[in-house]
Amino acid sequence: MKFLTSFLLGSSLFLTSAPKIVDDHAKLWDSLERAGVNIVLNDVDFCSDDLADGAYIPVIKALVVCQDNASPLSSRQVDWTSNDLDTLRHESHHVVQDCLLGGLGDGESGPLFDTRESLKSFVDNILSEEQIDRIVTNYRELGFDREVIIMEIEAFAVASGVSPDKIADAINKFCN
């Protein structure tokens, strides 16, 4: 409970100030907030060696970004790197996946692409075979099953090949 209280306090304090995000990601940020997602930056309880870049945590409707240049002892926002923005897009797609089955925060999620063929066609146009193999290997080593790996591959491809405006449109369509 102490952890949840500090999380909620930290989140509400952060969300009272406008983000210093790159303009082309502002619509995405706004769509996440309107959908009811808590955006958490550089939270010392989340951002550790175990969570290098970020995460989407459905049970508390939180999207966490651990910025590359943030101080490990501060939750202050810093200038956004391309990797930070990629993380925001990637985790935002996990929000879309969460909204597809049931609704936001219900713990049920699924891929956006409804067939393996359509997913493969999309992914193959964005990610190299080497990138896909690396994703599969990394997530298998972490103990994740095939379904989670498929959703991760989809999220990596979306983050690399889909504009933040299109991801925002998907959040508006599926999460509201």
Side-chain angles (χ1 to χ4, degrees):
M1 184 58 127
K2 181 179 174 186
F3 171 77
L4 184 57
T5 303
S6 69
F7 165 76
L8 292 174
L9 283 175
S11 297
S12 63
L13 288 174
F14 172 75
L15 292 177
T16 60
S17 61
K20 297 185 305 184
I21 193 151
V22 177
D23 287 342
D24 67 344
H25 285 71
K27 178 181 174 184
L28 177 57
W29 186 285
D30 291 341
S31 294
L32 288 164
E33 286 184 327
R34 275 195 314 278
V37 175
N38 297 305
I39 305 168
V40 181
L41 294 179
N42 308 321
D43 187 284
V44 295
D45 291 324
F46 289 112
C47 297
S48 66
D49 292 338
D50 294 336
L51 185 63
D53 292 327
Y56 171 61
I57 308 164
V59 69
I60 56 175
K61 299 177 187 172
L63 187 152
V64 179
V65 176
C66 304
Q67 292 182 286
D68 292 337
N69 298 321
S71 166
L73 301 176
S74 171
S75 60
R76 294 177 67 189
Q77 184 177 187
V78 297
D79 290 337
W80 288 77
T81 66
S82 62
N83 182 61
D84 297 338
L85 295 170
D86 183 76
T87 299
L88 178 62
R89 292 188 306 274
H90 176 102
E91 300 306 337
S92 294
H93 186 67
H94 285 313
V95 172
V96 172
Q97 291 171 329
D98 181 31
C99 292
L100 289 171
L101 300 177
L104 183 70
D106 67 356
E108 298 291 322
S109 61
L112 179 61
F113 291 89
D114 55 358
T115 67
R116 301 268 188 226
E117 295 79 27
S118 60
L119 175 62
K120 182 174 177 15
S121 175
F122 172 74
V123 168
D124 286 349
N125 286 318
I126 298 170
L127 300 177
S128 69
E129 197 64 39
E130 181 181 305
Q131 289 172 306
I132 295 167
D133 289 344
R134 189 171 44 244
I135 294 165
V136 170
T137 300
N138 289 343
Y139 282 89
R140 275 192 186 143
E141 287 175 0
L142 291 169
F144 289 102
D145 65 20
R146 179 182 168 94
E147 288 180 29
V148 170
I149 293 170
I150 288 169
M151 291 198 310
E152 286 298 332
I153 291 169
E154 183 181 271
F156 276 102
V158 166
S160 293
V162 177
S163 74
D165 280 353
K166 295 281 188 199
I167 300 169
D169 291 344
I171 290 168
N172 294 337
K173 178 178 180 179
F174 296 112
C175 297
N176 293 319

